[in-house]
Amino acid sequence: MYKILKKEKIGPNLNKFVIEAPLVPKNYQPGQFVVLKVDEVGERIPITIAEADKNKGTITVFVQEVGKTTYKLGALKSGDSISDVVGPLGHPAKVDKIGTVVTIGGGVGTAIVYPETKAFKKAGNYVISIIGFRNKEHVILEEEMRKNSDELYIMTDDGSYGKKGFTTNELQELESAGRKMDLVIAIGPAIMMKKISEMTKEYNVKTIVSLNSTMMDATGMCGGCRVEVGGETKFACVDGPEFDGHEVNFDLLIKRLSTYEKQEKEALDSYNRCKLEE
Amino acid sequence: MSNKKQMAPREPMPKQEVKERVRNFNEVALGYTEDQARREAERCIQCPKPLCIKGCPVDINIPEFIKLIVEGKYTEAANKIKEDDILPCMTGRVCPQEEQCEAQCVLGIKHKPIAIGRLERFAADYEARNSEVETPAVQAKKNKKVAVVGSGPAGLTVAADCARMGYDVKVFEALHKPGGVLAYGIPEFRLPKEIVSREVETLEKMGVELECNVIIGKTITIEQLFEEGFDAIFLGLGAGLPRFLGVEGENLLGIYSANEFLTRINLMKAYKFPEYDTPINIGKKVAVVGGGNVAMDSARSAVRLGAREVHIIYRRSRQEMPARNEEIENAVEEGVILDLLVNPIGFAGDEKGWVKKIQMIKMELGEPDDSGRRRPVPIPGSEFIYDVDTVVVAIGQNANPILLDATPEIKKNKWGYIDAEPETGKTSMKGVFAGGDIVTGEATVIAAMGAGRKAARAIDDYLKTGKW
């Protein structure tokens, strides 16, 4: 069992967990993820590691409540345990000093882009960060991102905080202002990563995205996470999760993410009914 | 023993009725009763130079355990088997005996060979049911540590053998449950998972430590295992990277690798969704591509999940199918349709991306290839379209890259598997041994156990002498 040392609700349907998983931080590098399983009957879900503490043997993850598993997780409290944590998985992000790096986080994707932002800053890059949320209530990691960026732009869909608009709008402004960009890292909903990649292809700026395809074992064994990159089939778990955004077939990714839509709804509905009965 | 007894027919295996079993995941073969086991055992003529043992990858003393069954000493029979095979409940069920021990049985020349596998299963099940399973004796501590990577048949064998020899053994498993392919791959109806947990418990009673959720090469590297004080490491990680066909449209929704399909069912219990959280999609018409045991397991699972029509698509003829005959027969009994000498050359889907059609081509058999089987050759102009809702691709595995990418010191062969000495399992890295599917590519449970047995002996040699 893996103990939740601290659970904190940090936004609507968004929780932060510090979990005791002594072996995971040992070889962890930014960009890697873990697979979590809440209980005996639970499913295995991949979640990117936001922070790992080698000394304390803990990892920090941000989990948005979207389906039964993430709601089940959200119902747990500090001191509770989950049955399984395994990692770190996937290839680490390639962090070098290259000049100006634009890191873009969409919603809970900000929690994934955060450790990379920190790593790129530490490597001596000029880091411009753009993070976008639905509204003010959903804003996360503002201070952490500010501390690790040379410039930070916060976007909200409704303009209730920061600038009104999407991350793409800010990227467009930077481009129009003739700002130098050597690398873009975009992590968020598939549709955001698709839009950003389309724009940067035009700008001719290399873009890395982190793909959130459906995984089970996440060790290359099942192939459920397969994505198409540069016309070739890749496994997001062992070949990724980060890929060249200009090469990714996002339409296929978006379709494949809907594979279990029906069952996900059924599971969540029955979970909610049980909750009501309690 | 009278001649009449040997000429008696081979005892058939009692099975769950077809119309019942297609609606549940319970074991199909029910096992011999005591009477049946003794009748079958009495057919054995106790050859002075038994050939059956030669057919066994782990050299079980077959005539000896059969004699004990005749004498009604069932627990003793089980212990006799366990001298050479630590997992008799499993091997009695999943070994291809018809190609191994039973293929050598002299009774097979004129009559039917002794049902060695069924007798093995009987003895092992009897012991498990009726007595406290004896924990194998462990020698005095040698104070040397052996790490075993992977808890499938190869890893479990090495762990048991090394523990018996007095080594401190720790097994690392990547998934959340031990057993490897025994847990995620082989379905409940062929190998009840209860048996797997029981065998693992026996190991733990022998002092073997087991840790799940550890991926060697990621969580801990080989180098770090040595730093932590392990003196030898055995790699039994399995093949673990599913092959796809490499044709148009195979990333459409509803196309699974057999690994994913079976893992969702066996390990994650998707057949109990929504009681269990892991879902699976099963359409009306399911096509399983491939002709091995894994293909049969997938097809028979699809039947049980309620598919209306389940087909096996195989590019050669039934004769060349690598699956055990028994499994093909079970599948056919359960309504699985064999579409032979056809091969998928592409998939097409609907607007939402779900697979709907397979483009197929008819095949004919040409000259034998490297495997000795006649090579399937496409017949030009024979393409046709085949409607489908779910596809399972069961055409084998490549080598999993995680550990090998992290450990370039370990040399690979031309197929990407680990290059290990066949007699010892020694790899190109000092102190590191390997065996099972990660060395040979996809094979059988017993072959992996045989490799584990040899590696354990070599590990003992290495740790005693220090010579590599």
Side-chain angles (χ1 to χ4, degrees):
Chain A
M1 296 298 269
Y2 299 76
K3 197 170 177 186
I4 298 170
L5 297 180
K6 195 174 164 200
K7 180 225 168 179
E8 209 182 326
K9 188 172 160 67
I10 57 163
N13 299 112
L14 185 63
N15 299 298
K16 176 182 169 182
F17 298 88
V18 179
I19 304 172
E20 200 170 53
L23 293 179
V24 180
K26 210 178 156 89
N27 296 324
Y28 161 77
Q29 290 175 62
Q32 291 186 297
F33 61 96
V34 284
V35 163
L36 307 180
K37 184 167 155 287
V38 178
D39 51 29
E40 176 60 27
V41 300
E43 63 179 336
R44 297 168 61 100
I45 56 162
I47 299 281
T48 302
I49 303 168
E51 270 177 334
D53 189 322
K54 284 190 175 64
N55 299 323
K56 292 188 186 137
T58 61
I59 55 164
T60 302
V61 290
F62 290 76
V63 186
Q64 192 167 18
E65 294 165 335
V66 286
K68 182 180 175 187
T69 299
T70 46
Y71 272 100
K72 255 164 62 171
L73 202 52
L76 297 176
K77 298 181 284 291
S78 303
D80 288 342
S81 291
I82 60 173
S83 66
D84 301 279
V85 177
V86 58
L89 288 154
H91 288 298
K94 212 168 156 274
V95 180
D96 294 311
K97 186 176 174 183
I98 29 187
T100 302
V101 179
V102 181
T103 65
I104 304 174
V108 71
T110 304
I112 308 172
V113 93
Y114 161 60
E116 297 189 29
T117 304
K118 205 156 91 174
F120 275 102
K121 178 73 188 145
K122 206 174 152 198
N125 294 285
Y126 186 87
V127 177
I128 304 173
S129 300
I130 310 171
I131 52 179
F133 306 92
R134 203 178 306 163
N135 57 40
K136 189 181 173 185
E137 273 187 307
H138 286 85
V139 176
I140 54 166
L141 292 166
E142 181 182 351
E143 278 324 300
E144 289 87 342
M145 286 297 285
R146 195 177 302 284
K147 223 172 81 187
N148 290 287
S149 312
D150 294 284
E151 295 172 40
L152 173 72
Y153 301 93
I154 302 176
M155 312 295 293
T156 51
D157 299 0
D158 64 356
S160 55
Y161 195 72
K163 284 195 202 174
K164 182 172 170 20
F166 302 114
T167 52
T168 43
N169 299 127
E170 187 55 44
L171 183 68
Q172 170 77 59
E173 274 194 32
L174 292 176
E175 163 68 15
S176 305
R179 299 290 303 269
K180 176 173 165 286
M181 294 183 242
D182 299 302
L183 177 70
V184 170
I185 310 281
I187 306 176
I191 187 72
M192 180 201 97
M193 295 191 284
K194 180 188 172 183
K195 290 265 156 64
I196 300 270
S197 299
E198 281 166 2
M199 290 167 70
T200 56
K201 196 166 185 178
E202 239 171 74
Y203 307 162
N204 201 15
V205 180
K206 188 179 162 77
T207 298
I208 300 293
V209 293
S210 178
L211 302 187
N212 52 341
S213 52
T214 310
M215 294 183 191
M216 191 171 46
D217 60 288
T219 63
M221 194 194 79
C222 89
C225 65
R226 53 199 199 277
V227 290
E228 214 176 276
V229 183
E232 273 179 52
T233 296
K234 298 276 178 196
F235 290 6
C237 66
V238 288
D239 297 321
E242 304 204 339
F243 293 100
D244 180 341
H246 298 161
E247 299 285 329
V248 172
N249 181 344
F250 283 104
D251 294 335
L252 179 71
L253 173 72
I254 291 168
K255 278 181 185 164
R256 284 188 64 86
L257 284 170
S258 74
T259 301
Y260 296 105
E261 226 167 31
K262 206 180 85 206
Q263 290 97 330
E264 278 159 9
K265 192 176 174 303
E266 185 191 336
L268 186 58
D269 286 350
S270 86
Y271 175 74
N272 287 335
R273 267 198 309 279
C274 294
K275 280 273 143 192
L276 279 177
E277 279 161 20
E278 266 173 21
Chain B
M1 237 175 263
S2 76
N3 199 25
K4 216 170 154 192
K5 277 183 177 163
Q6 282 101 51
M7 285 171 62
R10 178 173 154 125
E11 278 295 321
M13 174 60 102
K15 287 199 261 184
Q16 247 200 96
E17 286 296 333
V18 174
K19 64 177 195 300
E20 282 301 315
R21 74 186 198 229
V22 295
R23 280 186 268 136
N24 66 51
F25 272 84
N26 301 338
E27 194 171 18
V28 167
L30 301 171
Y32 281 164
T33 60
E34 279 184 52
D35 281 349
Q36 284 178 303
R38 282 170 77 164
R39 270 204 301 274
E40 183 61 24
E42 279 172 356
R43 292 175 58 225
C44 176
I45 56 171
Q46 295 287 320
C47 303
K49 283 184 187 163
L51 294 173
C52 49
I53 302 181
K54 289 201 178 124
C56 175
V58 295
D59 306 325
I60 296 174
N61 192 337
I62 295 164
E64 200 58 37
F65 94 73
I66 291 181
K67 200 167 123 203
L68 289 163
I69 292 178
V70 174
E71 291 164 4
K73 296 174 180 163
Y74 308 132
T75 304
E76 287 84 344
N79 287 328
K80 180 52 72 183
I81 302 169
K82 283 200 284 183
E83 285 174 12
D84 301 295
D85 172 357
I86 55 142
L87 310 169
C89 286
M90 298 194 215
T91 50
R93 286 171 167 82
V94 302
C95 264
Q97 291 100 6
E98 63 282 0
E99 294 167 16
Q100 300 176 350
C101 51
E102 293 177 14
Q104 305 291 327
C105 176
V106 292
L107 283 186
I109 302 167
K110 280 193 174 168
H111 310 285
K112 290 270 179 173
I114 299 285
I116 299 168
R118 294 169 187 177
L119 290 174
E120 177 187 18
R121 169 184 165 163
F122 166 78
D125 282 1
Y126 180 92
E127 186 202 19
R129 240 193 335 263
N130 295 295
S131 56
E132 188 66 18
V133 173
E134 208 176 294
T135 307
V138 171
Q139 286 176 27
K141 285 262 173 233
K142 288 200 166 77
N143 294 319
K144 291 223 162 122
K145 286 166 72 180
V146 178
V148 174
V149 181
S151 65
L156 293 180
T157 305
V158 172
D161 283 4
C162 287
R164 267 197 265 207
M165 292 187 259
Y167 295 104
D168 295 318
V169 182
K170 184 161 183 181
V171 181
F172 297 95
E173 167 58 46
L175 290 169
H176 57 271
K177 266 203 183 117
V181 71
L182 307 165
Y184 72 75
I186 303 177
E188 182 78 17
F189 56 80
R190 216 149 65 79
L191 179 67
K193 299 306 147 221
E194 186 198 337
I195 294 172
V196 183
S197 356
R198 198 168 62 217
E199 306 280 15
V200 170
E201 265 169 42
T202 307
L203 278 188
E204 289 181 313
K205 279 188 206 149
M206 289 165 70
V208 171
E209 213 186 318
L210 178 85
E211 189 167 2
C212 288
N213 295 329
V214 180
I215 297 167
I216 302 300
K218 288 279 182 198
T219 315
I220 309 174
T221 61
I222 294 285
E223 203 178 310
Q224 287 167 337
L225 283 178
F226 281 125
E227 283 165 17
E228 280 181 22
F230 285 99
D231 300 286
I233 300 171
F234 175 78
L235 307 176
L237 29 136
L241 190 77
R243 247 179 238 155
F244 286 91
L245 292 149
V247 300
E248 185 69 33
E250 72 184 341
N251 294 328
L252 286 165
L253 283 65
I255 304 182
Y256 288 99
S257 73
N259 269 359
E260 180 178 6
F261 190 72
L262 291 173
T263 304
R264 283 184 180 270
I265 298 168
N266 301 325
L267 182 73
M268 307 308 296
K269 307 252 180 284
Y271 62 93
K272 293 187 182 168
F273 178 87
E275 181 196 341
Y276 279 71
D277 293 343
T278 303
I280 194 159
N281 282 307
I282 193 92
K284 284 187 195 129
K285 185 172 170 189
V286 178
V288 178
V289 184
N293 289 321
V294 174
M296 298 306 142
D297 286 346
S298 303
R300 298 175 66 197
S301 298
V303 168
R304 285 159 176 76
L305 286 168
R308 215 169 287 165
E309 215 180 297
V310 180
H311 294 248
I312 289 273
I313 296 176
Y314 184 55
R315 59 195 181 131
R316 305 186 210 233
S317 71
R318 166 144 184 186
Q319 210 186 328
E320 286 83 20
M321 276 194 167
R324 296 182 68 188
N325 206 30
E326 191 180 312
E327 301 308 330
I328 303 173
E329 276 167 17
N330 278 330
V332 170
E333 271 177 25
E334 291 166 10
V336 173
I337 301 157
L338 307 180
D339 294 331
L340 304 167
L341 290 163
V342 286
N343 204 29
I345 51 173
F347 299 98
D350 63 14
E351 70 288 352
K352 286 188 168 164
W354 287 91
V355 67
K356 283 292 154 209
K357 291 183 187 313
I358 310 180
Q359 186 171 27
M360 300 257 253
I361 190 159
K362 291 186 182 159
M363 311 290 277
E364 59 189 354
L365 294 178
E367 293 301 306
D369 63 11
D370 297 345
S371 72
R373 295 177 300 173
R374 292 178 65 191
R375 187 194 300 274
V377 188
I379 303 173
S382 69
E383 293 87 351
F384 64 102
I385 300 285
Y386 188 97
D387 292 321
V388 78
D389 303 297
T390 304
V391 176
V392 181
V393 180
I395 56 167
Q397 313 271 328
N398 291 327
N400 189 285
I402 290 185
L403 186 129
L404 296 173
D405 284 356
T407 326
E409 297 91 323
I410 298 172
K411 270 203 205 126
K412 296 183 264 188
N413 63 22
K414 64 175 173 178
W415 299 282
Y417 300 114
I418 294 178
D419 194 2
E421 276 179 27
E423 285 311 306
T424 59
K426 276 185 188 174
T427 69
S428 55
M429 188 177 185
K430 193 182 174 196
V432 180
F433 300 77
D437 285 3
I438 193 60
V439 172
T440 56
E442 211 175 353
T444 59
V445 169
I446 193 74
M449 290 176 63
R453 163 72 28 95
K454 286 177 183 166
R457 272 188 222 128
I459 289 170
D460 183 42
D461 263 359
Y462 167 64
L463 293 182
K464 270 184 189 150
T465 63
K467 269 191 224 146
W468 185 249

